[in-house]
Amino acid sequence: MRDILSRLRELDVRARVGELEGPFADETIGQFIDSGVRFVGSHDALENVYYHAVHDLARCVAPAENGKPMLIEGADFIGCWLESTGTINSELLSRFCPGVAQSSFELFADYIRDDGLIPYKHTDKGPGYRQVQMVTPLARSVWRLYRQNGDKQFLRKMYDAIARNDQWLAEHRDTRGTGCVEAFCTFDTGHDASPRFWHVPDVPAGDPAKYDEASPILPFLAPDMTANVYCQRKYLHKMAQELNLPSDWDKKAQQTHDSLMKQCYDEQDRFFYDRDKLDRFVRIQTDNLMRVYACEAGDDEMFEDALSRYFLNTRKFFPRYPLTTIAIDDPRFLQAFEYNAWSGQLSFLTESRLPAMFDHHRRHVELTWILHPILTALSRFERFAGSLNIWVGAEGYKENYTPTMVCLLDYLERMSGIFPTPDRTLWFTALVPTGVDYGQIVAEQTGYSRRVDGALFELVNDKDVSQIYLDQQLLYTLPRGVRLVTDRSGKLLSLIGMVPHAVTGTITYQGQQLPFTVSGNEQLDLVDGKLVSSFNPGVVPPNYG
C-alpha cells in the first residue's frame, strides 16, 4: 500500500494526461486538476484508460454559438444534447469540471424559446427545437451542481427556464388529458431504432407540438417522459424552497406520479409501458423501466421486485455485461452491436443514467455487480465506443463518445474512490475492481484522491484493508467490503455494507477502535460512539428467469 500511496502523491496529472488540443482543453484540465482527483492502480490497463478518458474529455469541450464552452456528445453528434451531455453527463462531469458543467446547463436557459420550449440540443450553429428529447431530469442535474457551488443566481436562472418548459409540456404534450407526457416520435426519448417505436415517425410532424395525425397509434403516453416531469417537479419544489419562492410543485409532482401509475404501470407484468392511442400497452420491455426508476418514481418494494424480475434477471436485462436496452428474451433483440440502435446493445448513456435508481433505493451492493464488469470491459477500451457487446465486452458503435468517458470516471469513483454526494456527504468505498475476464486482473490495489473544501483526502485500497488520509495524515483504517460515510470535513457518520455477505471488522480512527458487523446494503449510523443499524433491506440475488 505504501507504494501505491507514494505513486498517488507523486503523480503529475497534467503530464499524465499528455498534450492537449481544443479551444477549452487547458481550461477543462485545469478544472480537473483543481478537483484534486487522481487515480493510480496496481495494473497499467485501468490507469491508462482512465487518463486516456480524461484527455479525450478535454477535447470534447467545444464552443457553443455564443462562444461559451459546452460538453459535446462525440462520435457523430457534434453538439450538446438535452437527454445526455446537457443533463446526466454534465451532472457527472460537475464533480470533476464544474465550470464546464454549469456552462453546458446554462445553454438551455440562454436559448429558451419565447413560448417556453427549451432546445433539445445545441451545436456551434445554435439551438435546435425539432423535438423534446428528454430522459434525465434537467432540474435534478442542476440542483446537484448547485449543492456543490451554492450559486443562487445560477439556480434562479435555471429554475425560471425549467418552470417555463414545464408549462410548455403541460400545454402541448397532454393532448389526451391524462396527466401523462406524450411521445410524438422516436427522437422524443432518444430511442433511435428501438422496437419501442417501430411504425412511428422519427420526428414530430413539422413542429414539436404536433404529431402525425395519420398514425393509427400516436400519441403514446410515455412512462419515461412522465417520470421525468414527476422528478423535475420534485426538484423544482426544492429549488423554490431554496429561493424562498411560493411553490405547489410538490402537489403537481404527486399528480404526475398518480397519472404515471394509473396509465403506464402494468400490474400483471409489473412493468412500465407506453400506452398507445387505442389505449393498449405497447408491450415491449425496454430500458423504459430503468428510466422510470432512475427518475425516482415507485417505492422500495416495487424496485426490489423489479431487481429480481428484470434488472438482475439474466433472461431480461442482466447479461455478462449489464444492462441491456431491451430484454434479451424479446425476439426483437438485435444481436448486432455496431449500429446506433437502442434495440438490445448496452449503451453507455444507459450506464450513465442507471446508478440514480440504485442510489435512490439504497441498493449499493447490487449496483457493484454492474460497476465491476463494466469497469473490467472499459479497461480494454481503445476508442471509447458508445456501446458494448454484452456477450464478450468488445467495443461497439463508433468512437470518441463522451458518455463513455464520463461513465468511466463515475464508475471508478463509486467503486474505489471518494464520491461527493448531493447531500454533502463523502463516500469512501473500500473495494477494488479486480476483474477476472479472460484471466486478466484489472487491479489488486488502487489509490484515489479528491480535494474537498480545500482539504485533500486520499483513499488507498488493497484486497484486505483500506486507509484514508486527510492532508497526508492517516485518518481511518477499515477492512475491505464497506463504504465509510463522512461529512465534508471527514467526520464519521455511517458505514454501509458493500458486499453480499456480512463483514466483521474494526474501524481505527483518532486513536480509537470501533468494532462492527455489517450486512450487505445495511447502514450503521454512529450514535453515542457506537455503530447502530438504521437500514437493512437485505440483498437481492441475480435471477435466471
Side-chain angles (χ1 to χ4, degrees), residues 137-429:
L138 177 60
R140 184 176 66 192
S141 295
V142 165
W143 175 255
R144 289 179 172 176
L145 175 57
Y146 168 74
R147 293 288 287 167
Q148 291 186 57
N149 67 15
D151 184 345
K152 285 198 173 181
Q153 184 176 355
F154 162 70
L155 188 70
R156 180 58 191 261
K157 176 181 181 178
M158 297 305 302
Y159 172 85
D160 289 343
I162 298 167
R164 288 177 61 197
N165 189 68
D166 180 273
Q167 183 62 35
W168 187 93
L169 289 167
E171 291 177 0
H172 299 287
R173 289 303 186 100
D174 185 18
T175 64
R176 294 162 62 179
T178 63
C180 291
V181 182
E182 295 167 353
F184 287 179
C185 64
T186 303
F187 290 171
D188 274 343
T189 68
H191 262 141
D192 303 27
S194 171
R196 173 187 181 186
F197 288 108
W198 281 357
H199 312 297
V200 168
D202 281 344
V203 297
D207 186 297
K210 296 179 180 179
Y211 62 91
D212 182 3
E213 294 184 356
S215 170
I217 53 177
L218 287 179
F220 285 177
L221 307 183
D224 48 352
M225 298 174 73
T226 304
N228 181 298
V229 167
Y230 160 69
C231 192
Q232 294 236 93
R233 288 176 167 181
K234 282 179 59 177
Y235 282 84
L236 284 168
H237 183 64
K238 291 177 184 286
M239 292 180 181
Q241 289 181 313
E242 187 74 7
L243 296 166
N244 295 315
L245 299 173
S247 170
D248 62 352
W249 289 114
D250 55 340
K251 295 180 181 178
K252 289 183 176 180
Q254 187 57 53
Q255 291 168 356
T256 304
H257 193 273
D258 291 346
S259 298
L260 170 71
M261 296 303 300
K262 178 180 179 181
Q263 299 292 341
C264 298
Y265 186 63
D266 178 30
E267 292 282 356
Q268 175 183 329
D269 293 349
R270 300 189 188 180
F271 204 96
F272 289 93
Y273 294 115
D274 297 299
R275 191 182 285 271
D276 73 7
K277 180 180 181 178
L278 303 177
D279 213 31
R280 304 172 302 180
F281 281 133
V282 181
R283 290 189 184 277
I284 302 174
Q285 293 179 347
T286 71
D287 67 334
N288 230 335
L289 187 67
M290 181 278 296
R291 294 178 173 198
V292 170
Y293 283 114
C295 286
E296 303 178 15
D299 57 25
D300 287 347
E301 183 179 353
M302 288 175 61
F303 185 64
E304 180 177 345
D305 181 76
L307 282 174
S308 182
R309 286 175 181 264
Y310 296 107
F311 297 129
L312 301 181
N313 186 337
T314 59
R315 285 183 180 268
K316 296 295 184 180
F317 295 92
F318 196 59
R320 181 179 182 182
Y321 300 94
L323 297 171
T324 57
T325 48
I326 71 169
I328 299 167
D329 63 358
D330 190 304
R332 291 157 290 202
F333 184 96
L334 180 65
Q335 296 284 349
F337 298 98
E338 64 272 18
Y339 303 102
N340 178 32
W342 289 72
S343 51
Q345 64 188 357
L346 180 152
S347 164
F348 278 98
L349 258 180
T350 295
E351 298 301 296
S352 296
R353 296 166 181 150
L354 66 85
M357 63 180 180
F358 289 90
D359 288 351
H360 183 66
H361 295 283
R362 297 194 279 180
R363 289 287 176 175
H364 308 290
V365 174
E366 292 88 344
L367 178 57
T368 66
W369 301 338
I370 296 172
L371 302 182
H372 199 169
I374 298 305
L375 282 171
T376 303
L378 283 167
S379 73
R380 301 189 294 269
F381 268 34
E382 297 179 353
R383 52 188 174 86
F384 296 112
S387 64
L388 183 72
N389 183 312
I390 63 169
W391 314 115
V392 298
E395 293 187 77
Y397 175 74
K398 286 296 181 176
E399 61 187 12
N400 198 40
Y401 195 55
T402 295
T404 308
M405 306 171 201
V406 178
C407 181
L408 169 58
L409 269 60
D410 177 51
Y411 276 25
L412 186 67
E413 186 161 271
R414 288 174 174 276
M415 185 85 179
S416 303
I418 304 166
F419 184 99
T421 73
D423 63 3
R424 297 186 64 78
T425 62
L426 302 177
W427 288 352
F428 299 84
T429 305

